[in-house]
Amino acid sequence: YPIVGAGMGFYALPELVAAITNAGGLGVLGATPEPPFRVQELIRQTKALTGGLFGVDLVNTLLFGQGVPSITDDHISVCIQENVKIVVFFWNTPERRWVDRLHASGAEVWMQVASVDGARAAIEAGVDVLVGQGAESGGHLRGVEEGTALPRAQLLPRLQEVARGRILLGAG
């Protein structure tokens, strides 16, 4: 079974990401709420610790209750410049132009979703892989906010119906 580390901000830092990747899993760097220059530093620190594949997780939301976007075009540019091959989005669906830019660079785009509607929006945006976040997941639960929280065992079959051949992973 594939093991993918959760890209939790403040916790999934270079040492943990590299350890997961070096052990045969897929480490995912928790890059939010860092500014672009800091995301680049974290990516480079991770690369210094592993030659293996790892991803970068970007939480697409507004920070600090002030309407400050957590992800900007510069975050996407950093991922492209650093040749990141897997970029995972969480919370809100990424902008299609971000997905297109990442695809053009050779990256896969993943999206963590908590509902069928969230999965449909991600697919419409061009996302390659869906990660279904069950109600038992740790951290921020999008399904609770949406009022759609389901245990992973109930959510995944519903998501599978709309995944249309995409890889579907379960979290929670």
Side-chain angles (χ1 to χ4, degrees):
Y1 298 101
I3 301 295
V4 178
M8 297 179 293
F10 306 111
Y11 297 100
L13 298 174
E15 295 79 12
L16 177 59
V17 174
I20 293 168
T21 293
N22 291 340
L26 176 68
V28 180
L29 183 65
T32 303
E34 301 293 349
F37 78 90
R38 180 69 178 131
V39 171
Q40 189 166 39
E41 289 174 0
L42 292 169
I43 291 169
R44 289 178 177 177
Q45 289 171 11
T46 305
K47 285 179 177 179
L49 298 171
T50 184
L53 181 66
F54 65 92
V56 172
D57 187 278
L58 300 171
V59 179
N60 187 23
T61 189
L62 299 177
L63 294 174
F64 312 116
Q66 302 296 317
V68 177
S70 60
I71 306 301
T72 66
D73 290 335
D74 291 340
H75 287 89
I76 304 306
S77 293
V78 163
C79 290
I80 292 168
Q81 290 167 9
E82 293 300 324
N83 201 30
V84 172
K85 294 300 178 193
I86 297 173
V87 178
V88 183
F89 287 91
F90 177 58
W91 208 260
N92 293 312
T93 306
E95 295 182 25
R96 180 65 191 231
R97 64 190 172 93
W98 294 345
V99 174
D100 291 344
R101 287 182 63 205
L102 290 164
H103 281 159
S105 77
E108 283 190 0
V109 179
W110 297 16
M111 176 74 194
Q112 189 174 155
V113 298
S115 67
V116 170
D117 287 344
R120 285 187 179 125
I123 290 167
E124 188 173 311
V127 166
D128 303 297
V129 174
L130 298 173
V131 181
Q133 184 194 46
E136 65 274 50
S137 293
H140 300 288
L141 294 172
R142 179 63 182 197
V144 171
E145 170 99 0
E146 293 175 339
T148 60
L150 292 172
R152 182 184 61 218
Q154 292 176 23
L155 177 63
L156 292 182
R158 293 176 187 193
L159 295 179
Q160 193 170 26
E161 292 176 14
V162 298
R164 299 184 191 139
R166 285 171 180 76
I167 293 173
L168 172 62
L169 303 176

